[in-house]
Amino acid sequence: MSERPTEKPEFGPTRRGFLRASVAGGALVATGGAAFAQTPDPLITEVQPWARVFGDGIDATPYGMPIRFETDVIRRNVPWLTADVTSSINFTPIHALDGTITPAGCGFERHHSGAIELAKEDYRLMINGLVETPLVFTYADLERFPRESRVHFLECAANSGMEWAGAQLNGSQFTHGMVHNMEYTGIPLRLLLEEAGVKPEGKWILVEGADASSNGRSIPMEKALDDCLVAFKANGEALRKEHGYPVRLVVPGWEGNMWVKWLRRIEVGDMPWETREETSKYTDTMADGSARKWTWIMDAKSVVTSPSPQMPIKSGPGPVVITGLAWSGRGTITRVDVSMDGGKTWHEARLQPHSHDKALHRFYFDHVWDGSEMLLQSRATDSTGYVQPTKNALRAIRGLNSVYHNNGIQTWWVKSDGEAENVEVS
Ligand SMILES: Nc1nc2c(c(=O)[nH]1)N[C@H]1C(S)=C(S)[C@@H](COP(=O)(O)O)O[C@H]1N2
Ligand SMILES: [Mo]
């Protein structure tokens, strides 16, 4: 019997040296050398348990959930904000996501009277008021109208609202997580309004939900006929219960409160209704006591999602991917700059291509970190040329009484141990 040479890899100094030399100009530099173990690594050299068995059968997960190692990528709330279950807010784990689409299962929720369960068979949508023919649609009726699919962000007007007086919540999930971005499939609202026939005096619509709060809002006819969708799918599947199943309104670029869930009625009128949601709420009291009203559009905003307080730099000095999100209710994002010294100097980040109008954009800035402290910021510019302001610039105009529409620049203080904290620079 002839002796055959062993096929087991050897990790003597010579071979290691060869590996090191062969990749020195490429992968080794890019990874900071972290991938090259000094001793034989059983994860490379040994056949692992998962390679010796059959995995789960395909019918084990007819509707899949994330693997158990990812169970901390979840919506979270801030206990002092949600005193009871019927007035609830939670936050998208934006610190742990990448790309731009928010998985429905972790897209934040905001309900004024809880999330209701409404079956398609029980669903009705009424259009009444200043129309030629008042109409009631069933879910099946809606499915027969021409539909479109579009990606849009939804941001609650109160996102970052707790930060008006100063840095407060420690994590991008909590400071900026009242935003999600999904691909909606729905009927242009214009088609349904045309079906009913809007009378010439019809200049506004009132939109209401089927939940107890009804969340009524007035929307000018111009916007209703422009780009609103009566949506029944998000990210390809039926809306989740908490996002308005079976039908919600999509109002691209406008504050989340107008995106009525469980949409049940659209009334056409000749003036706004002045509902609770647009008078005592979703109106800002200025420093002099006057009210700033009808602030529908979400202005350009951005945030570094990693590194951030929930995403410290664990790998020490060397290459670090600085990444975040940027969006504008007025169009697209044309540029994002990143600062590591609290806004003194700026560096243009890489914006991911194929971004959508009034949708989240992803930016990256690849940095070789020397381990010194950073005051990390991002600053978005949108397609109208508007540049995201500092928090102090906003306060100079709007005072400190506001809750809504805080789109100021966020600062993370990244310390030399890689931990990060929510701070402000003056
Ligand atoms: N019917 C109804 N629609 C509603 C609400 C509600 O409580 N009831 N909340 C509004 C608010 S304030 C926001 S920010 C968004 C939140 O949408 P989401 O829960 O899908 O994130 O829905 C809006 N639409
Ligand atoms: Mo909201």
Side-chain angles (χ1 to χ4, degrees):
M1 202 187 262
S2 61
E3 284 274 294
R4 298 185 60 192
T6 175
E7 293 193 2
K8 206 174 171 193
E10 285 166 28
F11 282 82
T14 317
R15 180 170 296 231
R16 264 210 317 275
F18 169 75
L19 282 173
R20 204 181 280 276
S22 66
V23 294
L28 184 63
V29 170
T31 61
F36 294 88
Q38 295 302 307
T39 49
D41 181 349
L43 285 168
I44 303 283
T45 59
E46 307 298 328
V47 177
Q48 297 298 316
W50 51 83
R52 296 177 189 274
V53 295
F54 253 86
D56 290 337
I58 48 162
D59 51 358
T61 50
Y63 192 96
M65 293 295 286
I67 195 165
R68 63 190 170 91
F69 310 124
E70 298 293 323
T71 45
D72 63 337
V73 183
I74 50 170
R75 301 186 271 230
R76 287 191 181 80
N77 60 12
V78 173
W80 56 260
L81 265 180
T82 45
D84 63 76
V85 289
T86 53
S87 174
S88 47
I89 309 172
N90 59 22
F91 300 86
T92 309
I94 52 170
H95 63 289
L97 301 176
D98 213 315
T100 57
I101 294 291
T102 313
C106 64
F108 88 98
E109 304 165 66
R110 172 74 180 106
H111 321 299
H112 293 81
S113 53
I116 57 165
E117 192 177 85
L118 177 54
K120 283 179 186 166
E121 307 80 70
D122 299 329
Y123 181 76
R124 298 290 184 274
L125 172 61
M126 177 160 102
I127 300 187
N128 70 329
L130 297 174
V131 291
E132 302 298 341
T133 324
L135 294 172
V136 173
F137 304 93
T138 64
Y139 187 88
D141 292 336
L142 294 181
E143 286 183 304
R144 301 175 69 188
F145 278 85
R147 55 184 181 255
E148 294 178 6
S149 295
R150 282 193 258 126
V151 177
H152 291 298
F153 76 83
L154 180 167
E155 184 184 17
C156 177
N159 197 22
S160 318
M162 291 73 71
E163 305 291 307
W164 264 110
Q168 181 156 222
L169 296 169
N170 232 6
S172 63
Q173 176 169 22
F174 306 113
T175 56
H176 289 73
M178 275 197 262
V179 69
H180 55 57
N181 192 62
M182 304 193 198
E183 186 196 41
Y184 293 96
T185 302
I187 304 150
L189 175 57
R190 175 178 49 81
L191 295 183
L192 299 181
L193 289 170
E194 281 171 5
E195 189 77 9
V198 174
K199 292 188 172 162
E201 325 81 274
K203 295 289 177 235
W204 290 79
I205 59 168
L206 171 74
V207 285
E208 272 181 0
D211 54 329
S213 81
S214 88
N215 195 80
R217 286 295 308 252
S218 309
I219 300 177
M221 187 61 75
E222 203 186 356
K223 180 67 174 176
L225 297 177
D226 179 17
D227 58 359
C228 294
L229 288 180
V230 173
F232 40 82
K233 298 269 164 100
N235 297 345
E237 62 180 0
L239 286 164
R240 295 292 169 91
K241 170 187 167 183
E242 61 270 33
H243 297 138
Y245 182 96
V247 175
R248 94 172 302 164
L249 191 64
V250 168
V251 191
W254 289 28
E255 59 187 21
N257 185 255
M258 307 178 89
W259 296 47
V260 168
K261 302 191 275 193
W262 315 290
L263 181 67
R264 70 177 281 272
R265 191 168 77 94
I266 299 170
E267 183 177 339
V268 178
D270 57 0
M271 56 173 123
W273 277 258
E274 310 281 355
T275 68
R276 170 188 180 275
E277 298 290 330
E278 54 205 20
T279 51
S280 88
K281 301 285 177 257
Y282 301 95
T283 288
D284 281 318
T285 309
M286 308 285 278
D288 66 0
S290 65
R292 182 175 174 266
K293 214 180 156 197
W294 305 134
T295 50
W296 301 305
I297 304 178
M298 302 309 294
D299 276 314
K301 187 165 173 179
S302 69
V303 64
V304 171
T305 52
S306 180
S308 62
Q310 296 157 290
M311 296 291 278
I313 305 174
K314 291 192 178 132
S315 52
V320 59
V321 175
I322 296 172
T323 187
L325 293 166
W327 60 96
S328 168
R330 297 182 194 270
T332 55
I333 293 294
T334 51
R335 178 181 173 130
V336 174
D337 293 284
V338 168
S339 175
M340 283 160 290
D341 55 11
K344 290 194 195 100
T345 58
W346 294 94
H347 312 267
E348 189 169 355
R350 282 189 294 126
L351 261 182
Q352 288 307 281
H354 314 301
S355 295
H356 301 273
D357 191 48
K358 305 177 182 98
L360 294 190
H361 293 50
R362 169 66 58 180
F363 66 86
Y364 297 105
F365 183 71
D366 305 295
H367 179 55
V368 179
W369 183 47
D370 63 6
S372 59
E373 289 188 358
M374 294 188 277
L375 289 169
L376 202 52
Q377 300 183 332
S378 63
R379 184 181 66 188
T381 304
D382 75 9
S383 46
T384 70
Y386 172 90
V387 180
Q388 185 184 2
T390 62
K391 290 189 191 175
N392 283 337
L394 278 182
R395 287 178 187 131
I397 299 166
R398 308 243 298 270
L400 287 177
N401 295 328
S402 291
V403 173
Y404 308 113
H405 296 275
N406 179 357
N407 66 321
I409 291 172
Q410 174 66 42
T411 311
W412 305 126
W413 174 30
V414 182
K415 299 166 210 179
S416 33
D417 62 0
E419 295 291 328
E421 208 179 295
N422 181 3
V423 296
E424 288 201 15
V425 291
S426 48

